[in-house]
Amino acid sequence: MMWALAIIAAIIAMLAVAGVVKDSIDLAHAIKEREERDREWRAHELRVIADHEARHRTETEEQ
C-alpha cells in the first residue's frame, strides 16, 4: 500500500515539475514576443521621424 502512495506522490511531483517547466517556456516565449513588438514599434517610430524630417527638409528647401 505504501508503494502505491509513493507512486501517486511521484506522479504529482512530476506534474508539478512539468507545470513549472511549461510556465518557464511560456514566459520565455512572451519575452521574445514582447522584444519583437518593441523592435517593430521602434522601427515604426524611426520611419515616422525620418518622414517628418524629410518633409520638413523639403518644405524648408521650397521656401
Side-chain angles (χ1 to χ4, degrees):
M1 183 66 178
M2 293 299 274
W3 58 270
L5 293 176
I7 291 173
I8 292 171
I11 290 171
I12 292 171
M14 287 189 295
L15 291 173
V17 169
V20 170
V21 170
K22 183 185 180 309
D23 288 345
S24 296
I25 291 169
D26 290 345
L27 180 60
H29 285 286
I31 291 170
K32 287 179 183 178
E33 290 172 2
R34 174 66 185 262
E35 290 171 347
E36 180 62 27
R37 283 194 310 270
D38 288 348
R39 275 193 298 276
E40 290 172 358
W41 179 251
R42 183 66 182 146
H44 169 73
E45 288 178 325
L46 292 174
R47 282 191 303 274
V48 169
I49 291 168
D51 290 346
H52 176 75
E53 289 176 351
R55 192 175 312 114
H56 179 70
R57 197 174 311 114
T58 303
E59 291 172 355
T60 305
E61 290 171 357
E62 289 175 357
Q63 293 176 355

